[in-house]
Amino acid sequence: MRIFGRILDIFFPTPCSYCNGPVGSSGIPYFCSVCWEDFAPISGPVCPRCGRPFDSPESLSHSPAHECGQCRQYPPRFDQALAVGYFEGPLREAIHQYKYRPCRSLGRPLGDWMAGKVCRLTELDMVMPVPLHPTRLRHRGFNQALLLAHRMCKQHDILLSCDNLFRVRPTRPQVELTGEERLKNVAGAFALRRQDTVKDRNVVIIDDVFTTGATMNECAAVLKEAGAAQVVALTLARAL
Ligand SMILES: [Zn+2]
Ligand SMILES: [Zn+2]
């Protein structure tokens, strides 16, 4: 089948999912190298707590610890949220293909892209992917957050903790819901199998997209209640 697929590729090359041009020798499934290198990284001033980009570059110049209005009014349970890119353009398309096609083989290049953009993970003790409920896992065939977490751990030499945090009940996909519904949907949806292993530890939770932060907040709450010292929420992309 693989040889047949290669022959098909010669005569009917797979177009890039974003620009429809030839994928060529990018080495990335379904993406040409121009689009892949065109992901928009988040740069400039962001809220030091939730990672929300500020409109004005001057926002943090006088008080670097200035948190956004949302964080001051409703402090999140995580200590810091970091997103690597904006959820737009080719990165948005890549995440859609990865999750909903679903295209498992995009996990490695997306995870490597994320891991390559993140530094200073040395003080962190373990990485946890946001878990899927077994019914969703059966449907998709893989946990997209776990593949990203795996690349992060490999590049930064951190412990991967992939079965401690789990979903106690299935939830609706957050993407279908409004902000208020998202909070209710994930409330009490997560738990830890071994609480003692996170006590006094610095933990990174990994997911693909940060939208309202409801999922990350719920996971962070569970970790904090078990005594985690610091919780960082890291995602590939941030929706605005
Ligand atoms: Zn392209
Ligand atoms: Zn904030």
Side-chain angles (χ1 to χ4, degrees):
M1 271 315 280
R2 193 172 285 177
I3 292 169
F4 183 62
R6 281 187 189 158
I7 292 168
L8 272 181
D9 268 354
I10 292 168
F11 292 103
F12 307 101
T14 312
C16 169
S17 291
Y18 189 68
C19 71
N20 275 320
V23 166
S25 56
S26 72
I28 312 283
Y30 310 110
F31 283 85
C32 74
S33 51
V34 174
C35 290
W36 195 263
E37 281 155 29
D38 205 28
F39 290 170
I42 293 179
S43 57
V46 297
C47 169
R49 188 73 177 270
C50 74
R52 181 192 309 274
F54 286 132
D55 295 335
S56 152
E58 286 82 38
S59 301
L60 289 175
S61 53
H62 298 299
S63 58
H66 176 81
E67 292 183 359
C68 73
Q70 178 82 12
C71 286
R72 277 179 285 153
Q73 196 175 359
Y74 305 105
R77 300 297 302 271
F78 48 76
D79 297 279
Q80 191 183 13
L82 294 167
V84 180
Y86 290 102
F87 188 52
E88 60 181 30
L91 178 56
R92 182 189 172 108
E93 180 61 26
I95 293 172
H96 270 261
Q97 295 288 333
Y98 178 40
K99 277 173 83 171
Y100 303 118
R101 194 175 188 125
C103 180
R104 184 191 180 114
S105 56
L106 278 170
R108 184 173 179 144
L110 281 171
D112 284 344
W113 182 76
M114 177 166 83
K117 298 276 182 208
V118 173
C119 53
R120 287 193 299 169
L121 281 178
T122 45
E123 301 142 26
L124 298 165
D125 298 307
M126 67 184 79
V127 168
M128 285 184 176
V130 170
L132 289 186
H133 191 267
T135 50
R136 183 81 53 79
L137 187 60
R138 271 197 293 277
H139 178 73
R140 187 171 293 151
F142 60 95
N143 176 354
Q144 76 279 3
L146 172 59
L147 300 191
L148 300 175
H150 181 252
R151 301 311 297 172
M152 181 64 58
C153 291
K154 204 165 168 69
Q155 281 203 31
H156 293 274
D157 196 22
I158 312 181
L159 177 75
L160 175 62
S161 171
C162 58
D163 68 339
N164 196 355
L165 184 64
F166 70 103
R167 286 198 194 235
V168 295
R169 58 177 172 81
T171 54
R172 287 176 62 195
Q174 293 283 77
V175 72
E176 298 171 358
L177 307 172
T178 64
E180 192 67 27
E181 290 169 334
R182 284 170 183 244
L183 287 174
K184 283 193 196 142
N185 188 41
V186 293
F190 299 94
L192 287 165
R193 291 192 171 91
R194 299 173 301 279
Q195 301 227 346
D196 53 322
T197 55
V198 302
K199 192 169 182 339
D200 301 325
R201 300 298 172 130
N202 300 322
V203 184
V204 191
I205 317 168
I206 291 195
D207 206 357
D208 51 352
V209 182
F210 186 106
T211 306
T212 62
T215 302
M216 285 299 203
N217 203 49
E218 204 59 37
C219 291
V222 167
L223 290 165
K224 285 283 181 167
E225 275 153 33
Q230 199 189 35
V231 177
V232 175
L234 176 64
T235 51
L236 257 182
R238 182 174 181 115
L240 295 177

